Amino acid sequence: MKLYSFYFLLFINLFAYAQNSKQLVLLDTINDGFAYDIRYATSNNFLKEAFYDCAACYLRPEVANALKEANHYFCEMGYKIVLFDCYRPVSAQKKMWKVFPNPQYVANPYKSGSVHNRGAAVDISLAKLDGSPVDMGTDHDFFGREAHIDNTSLPKQVLQNRKILQDGMRKFGFETIRTEWWHFNYKKNYSYQIIDFNFECN
C-alpha cells in the first residue's frame, strides 16, 4: 500500500510538472538576438550566491513573442535587450523574501506572489549592438531611490536611456513599476496563475 501511494504521488507530481512546463517557452529557442546575463544563476546578485540551477529564461508564449517584437524594435534603434531574469520559481521567490522581506522590491510569495512567478515579467536592460552596456544609473537589483523611475535627479543621459527602454517596452504591452527601472510586467500580469516549475537544466 505504501509503495502504491509513493508511485501515485510521484505520478501526480510528474503530471503537474509537465502541465506547468507546457505553459512556458524557453526563450533561447526563439534565438532572436537577445543578450543574457541571468544574475540569479551566478553570485552577481543581492544574495551574493547562485540560487538558480542554470541560466535559463522561461516565459509564457505570448510574453515571449511580445518581448521578441520589442527586441526587433530596439535593434532597429541600435540596441538589444539584455535579460537579467524571466520566470522565477516559487522556491526562489521564498528564498529572496527570507533575505529581503520588503514588498517595495521583493513580492511576498505567501500572499499574491510575483509576476515573475507567473512567467509574465522580465528584468532587463539595454546594450548596444556591439555588446557595450547602456548606462541606466544603477545596476540590476539596486534597492534604493536611484533605481526608481520617478527619480529625475539623475544625469540627463541616464534619464534618456531609461526613457528609451520604458517607451519601447510600453509599445509592446509591458508595464513599468515605480521602484525598479529594469522590471517590466506584461499587461495581463496578475490575471495569470502562478506556475510552480523548476528549470530543466542540460
Side-chain angles (χ1 to χ4, degrees), residues 33-51:
F34 297 101
Y36 293 85
D37 184 10
I38 306 298
R39 295 292 182 88
Y40 301 139
T42 74
S43 60
N44 184 17
N45 60 66
F46 76 99
L47 292 178
K48 306 301 181 186
E49 62 176 286
F51 57 103

Side-chain angles (χ1 to χ4, degrees), residues 17-30:
Y17 182 88
Q19 291 302 109
N20 284 333
S21 65
K22 285 179 182 177
Q23 298 179 67
L24 300 170
V25 297
L26 183 60
L27 200 64
D28 301 24
T29 60
I30 294 177

